[in-house]
């Protein structure tokens, strides 16, 4: 079920990227519109960005997707820059060429989130289970998500995740105003 609200496309992407930073690992996929794919200059601009930021985890398949991969476990000694900083920088970069909604069709997040991080508690009563969260944010201002690994608790966990997402969205909106 798609959920609509009045928050901007960019705000939703930034809120989801904030949650992704707390995950065990995350992959963010940006899908470009036909306008971008048919414009060689725009396509080359995105390719250049991916090449310049490949050390940060960006990959461009040369056609439709720009992927950003993040894994907490890879480098525990060096603190990672928050994902939302990379995402914000990328969104600002491509927004210089036009409205974000005319450049991106959707943004897809695939995240592995620990149950205790979703519940936002540290307790011996809460197991250390990993939940797979897939969240799709579309340029028509809708979003939807699915949680796997909840052992018949998916509906309850989805309500909790939506609450977490809405609280991050509220924070993002307060910072962008």
């Amino acid at each position: 079920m798609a959920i609509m609200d009045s928050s901007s496309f960019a705000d939703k992407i930034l809120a989801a990227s904030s949650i992704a930073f707390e995950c065990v690992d995350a992959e963010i996929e940006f899908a470009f519109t036909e306008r971008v794919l048919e414009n060689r200059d725009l396509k080359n601009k995105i390719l250049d960005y991916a090449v310049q930021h490949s050390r940060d985890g960006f990959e461009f398949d040369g056609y439709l997707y720009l992927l950003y991969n993040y894994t907490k476990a890879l480098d525990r000694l060096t603190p990672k820059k928050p994902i939302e900083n990379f995402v914000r920088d990328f969104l600002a970069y491509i927004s210089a060429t036009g409205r974000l909604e005319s450049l991106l069709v959707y943004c897809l997040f695939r995240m592995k989130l620990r149950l205790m991080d979703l519940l936002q508690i540290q307790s011996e009563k809460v197991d250390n289970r990993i939940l797979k969260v897939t969240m799709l944010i579309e340029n028509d201002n809708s979003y939807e998500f699915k949680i796997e690994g909840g052992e018949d608790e998916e509906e309850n966990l989805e309500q909790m995740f939506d609450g977490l997402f809405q609280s991050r969205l509220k924070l993002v909106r307060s910072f962008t105003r």
Side-chain angles (χ1 to χ4, degrees):
M1 175 181 85
I3 303 168
M4 302 288 285
D5 76 9
S6 61
S7 301
S8 75
F9 185 44
D11 286 352
K12 287 182 182 81
I13 293 170
L14 291 172
S17 66
S18 173
I19 294 170
F21 181 61
E22 296 172 9
C23 292
V24 175
D25 67 43
E27 180 180 89
I28 305 169
E29 178 180 300
F30 300 94
F32 298 97
T33 62
E34 290 294 321
R35 173 182 171 236
V36 173
L37 299 176
E38 292 171 355
N39 184 319
R40 178 171 280 173
D41 292 336
L42 287 175
K43 209 167 144 178
N44 286 337
K45 187 173 183 168
I46 293 164
L47 179 60
D48 290 344
Y49 188 90
V51 168
Q52 290 174 13
H53 294 87
S54 61
R55 279 189 42 203
D56 298 326
F58 283 95
E59 292 176 37
F60 183 49
D61 74 352
Y63 179 65
L64 187 58
Y65 301 109
L66 178 73
L67 294 174
Y68 175 76
N69 291 300
Y70 168 80
T71 303
K72 255 188 189 177
L74 284 181
D75 192 3
R76 293 176 186 236
L77 299 175
T78 306
K80 288 275 193 178
K81 181 177 170 181
I83 293 174
E84 60 264 35
N85 290 1
F86 289 115
V87 171
R88 184 193 62 236
D89 293 348
F90 173 68
L91 294 179
Y93 179 79
I94 64 168
S95 292
T97 61
R99 285 190 69 236
L100 195 57
E101 292 82 356
S102 68
L103 301 170
L104 294 174
V105 176
Y106 65 81
C107 186
L108 179 67
F109 289 80
R110 292 181 199 91
M111 305 176 266
K112 291 183 182 171
L113 180 65
R114 294 183 312 171
L115 178 60
M116 65 178 50
D117 292 336
L118 175 59
L119 300 175
Q120 296 184 337
I121 59 170
Q122 297 290 331
S123 170
E124 292 179 17
K125 295 178 183 178
V126 177
D127 60 51
N128 205 14
R129 184 173 4 152
I130 301 290
L131 304 171
K132 292 180 183 177
V133 180
T134 304
M135 182 171 201
L136 176 67
I137 302 170
E138 297 184 276
N139 66 359
D140 68 356
N141 232 16
S142 67
Y143 69 94
E144 57 187 284
F145 54 88
K146 179 180 176 187
I147 297 179
E148 298 173 28
E151 298 177 11
D152 301 324
E153 310 169 302
E154 277 87 1
E155 187 174 321
N156 189 29
L157 293 173
E158 285 175 358
Q159 290 174 351
M160 287 185 218
F161 183 82
D162 194 42
L164 176 62
F165 179 68
Q166 289 299 322
S167 69
R168 295 298 169 86
L169 199 49
K170 188 175 180 181
L171 285 172
V172 168
R173 284 191 306 253
S174 70
F175 281 116
T176 58
R177 294 194 193 277

